[in-house]
Amino acid sequence: MSEFDYDLFVIGAGSGGVRAARMAATYGAKVAIAEEYRVGGTCVIRGCVPKKLMVYASKFSHEFEDAAGFGWTVGESQFDWNTLIANKDAEIDRLNGLYIKNLERHNVEIIQSRAELEAPHRIRLTGEDRSVTARTILIATGGVPNLPLDLPGVEHLITSNEVFHLDEQPKRVLITGGGYIALEFAGIFNGLGTETTVLYRGEEILRGFDDDVRATLHEEMEKRGVRIVLHDVLTSVEKKADGLHVTTKQGETMVVDQILSGIGRSPYTKGLGLETVGVELDSKGAIKVDAQNRTNVDHIYAVGDVTNRVNLTPVAIREGAALAETLFNDNPTIVDYENIPTAVFTQPEIGTVGMTEAEAIATHDNLDIYLAKFRPMKNTLAGNDEKMLMKLIVDADSDKVLGCHILGPDSGEMSQLLGIAIKMGATKANFDATMAVHPTASEELVTMKEPSKRIRKDD
Ligand code: FAD
């Protein structure tokens, strides 16, 4: 008999926790996983998946507009919020059921309760008023949305947690923040017919992405009808009979039906008992781990958003898998964070992999930048002025493609495939040697002949 109840106890059944638990159990470990809300975690329950379903819903209005140029007369269209939410919820329930079944099939014990650390090897299950012990503990509690807590009227704001369950579609929405979650919801609401404003304190939306992509996205979102206000923050919110009355630092006043706070997320460590067992956090409150996901306490590990490395589902999954491989399959595995392809489901969409121009300038002497901005074929008959952007950043010394950035239809799908090429170290000559697929938008990637800009160390 083991001296512990479990070989591995996982706190949080999201992307990282579920993968680690399932794989560890496959390798013969006795595993339990505690979940305080719903198995599946942020991505499945209130993140990537429901969001993408809502993005699909919101795209129809643009398709209806484009259809006329192709000869279609689209009758009067109507959107019903409650139908979308009910169908989306049914799909999320289905996925939640699949996750539960899958864990059970692999003999992972699911404990529907909040879990907190009580002692180095002891976990308190607050929902069941009992404690269990484990040889190894994995913290995979994810992140929580930030709120501006000192804002007068903050209680009237919602976050991405609530936005998926609003009783009715807001007629007017204000979204604060300029990150990908804020901007994706701006596209969703705008497409569904809600009057949408984005309020962001920074200089340009989508910090961290390539500057050409950011500026073009801004332009195209405004063309589609999203109002974007920069250099500004909320100063007060007051609820009145006709809606939420908003004032901003720059003196804007607005009346809206909902305010979605999209000002980022923080690691979810509150009340976990980390101080009791001495697990160290960094200055942003994330759990500090080494390359093998181990905290400063030998038998306690952490993966996913709670470690605030690269906060994406596939990364959390890889970290969870690496942990199970390392600890329970005698196969030390380290996650490779280089050249992670990413999609942003704004409208237009973004697909990107590798360095931005600014990052490349900071690390390389000589660069060739290839930039194409054009109207994709479908938009010609549609009479739609929206532009597509493709950009390659090439190291002029080695010819290696350091980064590729696309804005436009299906660019998320393209980034997955480009990710393979760039991960393999593709050169511009490899791109040039690849035959074009015609007629597609992506053929532009293999037909860009002359750099639009040459950046040289000695210039
Ligand atoms: P999570 O998936 O957040 O899971 C943590 C789980 O732990 C939760 O279920 C939580 O309830 C539970 N928990 C927390 N504390 C306790 C406790 N003490 N006891 C028991 N249970 C606990 N990523 C992408 O790759 N692509 C996208 O398109 C994308 N879109 C997103 C859209 C939105 C709106 C949001 C919010 C996120 C999105 N993400 C996306 C990010 C992605 O959801 C996260 O990176 C991913 O879910 C992280 O996985 P995780 O395992 O670290 O944590």
Side-chain angles (χ1 to χ4, degrees), residues 98-126:
L98 283 180
Y99 269 72
I100 291 172
K101 244 197 220 150
N102 208 7
L103 283 169
E104 286 173 347
R105 203 158 49 84
H106 288 88
N107 295 322
V108 174
E109 184 182 335
I110 302 173
I111 300 171
Q112 192 62 59
S113 164
R114 179 171 170 76
E116 293 170 4
L117 298 173
E118 201 173 38
H121 288 276
R122 203 167 62 239
I123 304 118
R124 183 85 190 145
L125 302 171
T126 59

Side-chain angles (χ1 to χ4, degrees), residues 11-17 34-38 40-43 46-48 51 113-116 140-143 160 164 180-181 184-185 265 268 272 303-306 310-314 316 343 345:
I11 306 181
S15 308
E35 172 54 54
E36 68 174 3
Y37 183 54
R38 294 187 73 189
T42 304
C43 180
R46 46 192 181 187
C48 336
K51 167 201 78 186
S113 164
R114 179 171 170 76
E116 293 170 4
T141 50
S160 63
F164 294 113
Y180 82 93
I181 293 176
E184 288 175 340
F185 276 105
R265 292 170 65 77
Y268 186 25
L272 255 186
V303 296
D305 287 8
V306 77
V310 180
N311 298 331
L312 291 171
T313 281
F345 298 101

